[in-house]
Amino acid sequence: MSQHKEIKRITTNTLQKMKDDGEKIAMLTAYDYSMATVLDDAGLDVLLVGDSASNVMAGHETTLPITLDQMIYHAQSVVRAAKRSLVLVDLPFGTYQGNSREALNSAIRIMKESGAHGLKLEGGAEIMESVDRILCAGIPVMGHLGLTPQSIYKFGTYAVRGKNEAEASKLMEDAALLQQAGCFALLLEKIPAKLGMEVSQMLKIPTIGIGAGNGCDGQVLVINDMIGLTKGFRPKFLRQYLDLYEEIRLAGESYVSDVKSKAFPNNSEQY
């Protein structure tokens, strides 16, 4: 259990202290009020309103279709529930790449309309102008390197990133740039564990890994994957703690049976 369980609200400063003290950071995604309430009560340090909502909530093949308005809606729901966890929100595809003014406007909308505590952006040197402008407005930013799902059509595959020397070197350079710019943390996705540890040791700011090894300062998973609501998705980095898909399916079958057989509702379940 986190040493910071009783803190009224986790902040970016808390996360930095956790890294300095050697305490790992626990982070999960959340997209709605009910789930965020449970996770906040469970002691999660960070709740990420991920653009993975595009996949697990809306059924899209990629994260690209989700809009800024939709991200704000999900963020509002999570913020209402979180009493202790730090709430971060992904800036969706198309709201910050190539236009730093639009990036700032998008960031301000999320912060003002949702009440979130910070944002996450994918990319390194290519998006530094947007990162700088958002940070200058006083908005906390978590970087995201390695496999960046918003660029999936560029990569053409969800394979591990940073396996060759050129990619690993570029990732290290981008990580240093993001820290220098003022990002408070960095998410590392699907990279070799050795590289994840090297980046984490190089940086003063915390790193959060997903498929990046246990050398990172914290870990994150998509909640729907972690509790087994996502059917058939079992990447190597995923530890599935529940099999809710099967449990809910069986419960649904029992409900159908009880309704069809007139066993539900019984006399004690009606007025």
Side-chain angles (χ1 to χ4, degrees):
M1 183 60 68
S2 170
Q3 299 170 22
H4 300 276
K5 173 72 174 173
E6 303 306 320
I7 285 181
K8 185 175 181 180
R9 170 74 72 188
I10 298 288
T11 67
T12 57
N13 186 63
T14 313
L15 300 184
Q16 184 62 58
K17 189 173 189 307
M18 291 170 74
K19 168 157 182 158
D20 296 342
D21 293 345
E23 179 185 354
K24 296 292 188 179
I25 298 164
M27 177 171 162
L28 283 170
T29 65
Y31 316 104
D32 65 86
Y33 177 85
S34 297
M35 185 64 73
T37 299
V38 174
L39 297 179
D40 187 69
D41 193 48
L44 268 296
D45 300 308
V46 185
L47 296 179
L48 171 65
V49 185
D51 57 3
S52 48
S54 180
N55 308 105
V56 299
M57 302 298 286
H60 292 296
E61 183 180 359
T62 72
T63 62
L64 275 63
I66 200 163
T67 67
L68 182 61
D69 285 340
Q70 289 168 336
M71 288 300 300
I72 290 171
Y73 166 79
H74 287 294
Q76 289 169 336
S77 302
V78 172
V79 168
R80 291 187 194 106
K83 308 303 180 190
R84 173 187 172 279
S85 304
L86 181 79
V87 178
L88 303 178
V89 183
D90 274 335
L91 268 181
F93 176 74
T95 62
Y96 63 95
Q97 297 96 337
N99 188 329
S100 63
R101 186 176 296 277
E102 182 178 359
L104 178 59
N105 290 338
S106 300
I108 289 172
R109 274 202 64 197
I110 289 178
M111 298 298 287
K112 286 178 70 71
E113 296 178 35
S114 75
H117 312 123
L119 305 173
K120 180 169 73 63
L121 283 70
E122 295 183 9
E126 306 82 4
I127 63 159
M128 285 309 301
E129 187 177 335
S130 292
V131 170
D132 286 335
R133 184 165 281 205
I134 293 170
L135 286 168
C136 283
I139 299 172
V141 172
M142 172 183 282
H144 182 157
L145 298 174
L147 177 65
T148 48
Q150 290 179 12
S151 304
I152 189 56
Y153 290 133
K154 174 185 175 182
F155 294 139
T157 174
Y158 285 98
V160 175
R161 312 303 304 175
K163 293 179 74 173
N164 63 59
E165 186 176 343
E167 265 197 353
S169 178
K170 171 72 161 60
L171 190 144
M172 295 282 280
E173 291 171 4
D174 283 341
L177 276 175
L178 289 166
Q179 174 175 266
Q180 184 178 2
C183 290
F184 73 89
L186 179 63
L187 189 146
L188 299 170
E189 180 166 1
K190 212 167 182 184
I191 63 173
K194 182 174 182 290
L195 180 58
M197 179 175 289
E198 288 174 355
V199 175
S200 302
Q201 292 175 345
M202 175 187 76
L203 298 179
K204 294 181 179 179
I205 60 174
T207 60
I208 307 294
I210 177 166
N214 60 15
C216 296
D217 302 304
Q219 300 293 327
V220 62
L221 287 173
V222 171
I223 180 62
N224 296 53
D225 301 337
M226 191 272 273
I227 62 176
L229 269 177
T230 308
K231 185 179 180 181
F233 182 68
R234 294 296 298 269
K236 183 178 182 179
F237 63 78
L238 172 63
R239 180 177 295 183
Q240 187 176 306
Y241 286 78
L242 293 170
D243 187 4
L244 280 191
Y245 185 95
E246 186 63 13
E247 290 190 35
I248 293 172
R249 187 188 67 79
L250 291 173
E253 284 185 355
S254 296
Y255 174 73
V256 170
S257 177
D258 287 351
V259 170
K260 299 290 187 183
S261 67
K262 303 179 182 178
F264 175 78
N266 61 31
N267 288 337
S268 67
E269 294 165 330
Q270 56 190 6
Y271 297 102

